Amino acid sequence: MNRTSGTRRGGAGLAGALVCSVALLLSGCGTLSTKEDRRFAEKLAEEHYPGVLEVIEARKLFPQAGGSEITFSVADDPDAVVRIRVDAEAGTCNTHACHKVLDDAVAKGRSEAARLRILTGTFKSCGYEVIGVEPSSGAPWIVASPTNATVTRVLADIGSCVRRWVEADGRTGRPAQAGGASVNLASPAVARRLPAGSRSQPTAMRLSRTPLLAALQSHPYYVASYSAPQGRIDTTGSARIVRPFEAGQKFGATVQRAVQAQLRTSHPDVQVSEYQGVWTLERGTVDRLTGYVLYCERPDGDKRCLGDRAVVVTTDVRGDPVGKARPVGKVREGRGPLRLPPL
């Protein structure tokens, strides 16, 4: 065998492996197909929950070598979703014996569906439809478009609803957010263009599907946050703007350039940190944001400036400062932890 043909065969083998890896994400490749896992899950459902559980999705757990995530709908609860990891080859669910795992997953799915009904029902009674739910935090998405003239009233209105939601959810024995809660606000224009979901999907699945959340997060949106200082939601609330990555980077760069120009009048060698932090809307506005900018009075050799000093800055929505930056002083020792005072 000559070296050229060996190289070609090696390249072809590598290409085949790459094709299989890509195909795995779409439909499985060889023994990594979801078909066997799906059949195994359907048999489990028929044995332990006949006529109740139906497999509606099987997803490969790439890069894990074995098993698939199986999603079931629940016949007598259209809001509930049940998910387990099934490995047909090993005969296990979540790496354990399947009966107990399935029982626990069904109980969890029913419990979460009940809590979802509390959430959607409470907001509906307040005049807001829940159009999405963040799966990691449980934060709902609703449609609202506050202005300078209405933002105080809108935040208080939503806050009253959040208090009712959290208190009702707390009576289930699993409080929604013990330290507070947040609500994401989509504009009416964004809400009108959302991808349509299948009404046949369970509510919990439809409200947290990836295309929906991606569409909601692809435009700037407000997050209304409510603290619970004495264990009860403060309905006043505060708000911030969340931007897609590129828009956020552009905002941060605009602020940093302007602050650096201001600081250079007293510190000619100043370096501004790339730290972005959280920018909160000034109370009673939707076009004034306040946050921190970190800086170093002079370069620190070859090290990147983390920022040991800070200023508080108020800007417009583009990132152009409104007035002068206000010094905060030392906020970090060396390259240690950051200690910023409350805004």
Side-chain angles (χ1 to χ4, degrees):
M1 178 183 71
N2 63 48
R3 183 173 300 176
T4 302
S5 62
T7 302
R8 286 175 181 163
R9 275 195 283 271
L14 176 60
L18 290 173
V19 168
C20 183
S21 296
V22 173
L24 170 63
L25 296 173
L26 301 175
S27 60
C29 199
T31 60
L32 295 176
S33 170
T34 61
K35 291 179 181 178
E36 290 301 319
D37 292 331
R38 185 181 186 115
R39 280 196 287 266
F40 184 76
E42 288 169 341
K43 185 178 178 182
L44 279 174
E46 185 57 33
E47 288 177 356
H48 300 295
Y49 289 90
V52 177
L53 295 184
E54 179 183 355
V55 176
I56 55 175
E57 187 176 84
R59 182 175 65 89
K60 205 65 208 170
L61 292 171
F62 186 80
Q64 297 183 44
S68 307
E69 181 185 76
I70 303 295
T71 302
F72 303 87
S73 62
V74 182
D76 57 357
D77 190 338
D79 298 321
V81 168
V82 174
R83 288 188 176 93
I84 59 173
R85 178 187 172 191
V86 163
D87 188 337
E89 186 176 358
T92 61
C93 300
N94 298 356
T95 71
H96 293 81
C98 286
H99 191 180
K100 177 68 164 58
V101 169
L102 190 57
D103 284 347
D104 290 345
V106 169
K108 180 181 178 183
R110 290 189 184 278
S111 172
E112 290 181 347
R115 296 181 70 197
L116 178 62
R117 283 189 287 273
I118 290 172
L119 168 63
T120 57
T122 302
F123 275 87
K124 184 177 182 179
S125 70
C126 299
Y128 296 102
E129 180 188 1
V130 174
I131 61 171
V133 177
E134 291 292 336
S136 57
S137 65
W141 284 85
I142 63 173
V143 180
S145 186
T147 65
N148 283 348
T150 65
V151 62
T152 301
R153 175 179 57 79
V154 169
L155 286 178
D157 185 39
I158 295 171
S160 296
C161 199
V162 169
R163 177 183 283 179
R164 290 170 55 191
W165 162 45
V166 170
E167 289 177 351
D169 190 74
R171 290 192 285 273
T172 68
R174 296 177 60 192
Q177 312 246 4
S182 63
V183 180
N184 302 318
L185 314 183
S187 74
V190 169
R192 283 194 294 269
R193 298 193 298 269
L194 292 175
S198 171
R199 285 285 168 182
S200 65
Q201 288 182 327
T203 310
M205 187 175 183
R206 181 167 46 81
L207 291 180
S208 61
R209 66 191 191 278
T210 300
L212 170 68
L213 298 179
L216 286 166
Q217 295 166 4
S218 65
H219 301 272
Y221 60 92
Y222 299 113
V223 176
S225 299
Y226 301 89
S227 60
Q230 260 108 54
R232 193 166 192 237
I233 291 292
D234 178 354
T235 61
T236 306
S238 62
R240 60 191 174 91
I241 298 176
V242 176
R243 296 177 171 86
F245 179 77
E246 288 186 4
Q249 293 296 105
K250 184 177 180 180
F251 171 85
T254 301
V255 177
Q256 289 154 13
R257 280 195 303 269
V259 169
Q260 183 164 277
Q262 287 187 18
L263 291 173
R264 274 185 175 158
T265 60
S266 54
H267 305 291
D269 297 324
V270 72
Q271 273 193 324
V272 173
S273 169
E274 296 175 1
Y275 171 84
Q276 290 271 7
V278 174
W279 289 80
T280 303
L281 289 172
E282 286 281 283
R283 290 201 180 277
T285 78
V286 293
D287 58 4
R288 293 289 182 268
L289 297 92
T290 298
Y292 288 105
V293 174
L294 308 185
Y295 68 96
C296 306
E297 290 185 345
R298 60 188 59 83
D300 185 13
D302 295 330
K303 294 181 180 178
R304 181 168 61 93
C305 169
L306 295 181
D308 61 348
R309 295 181 178 275
V311 291
V312 175
V313 188
T314 298
T315 77
D316 62 19
V317 292
R318 294 180 298 275
D320 294 317
V322 179
K324 291 287 186 181
R326 306 185 296 279
V328 172
K330 199 88 166 175
V331 293
R332 192 198 309 266
E333 291 298 331
R335 304 184 78 77
L338 184 62
R339 294 185 175 88
L340 291 169
L343 283 171

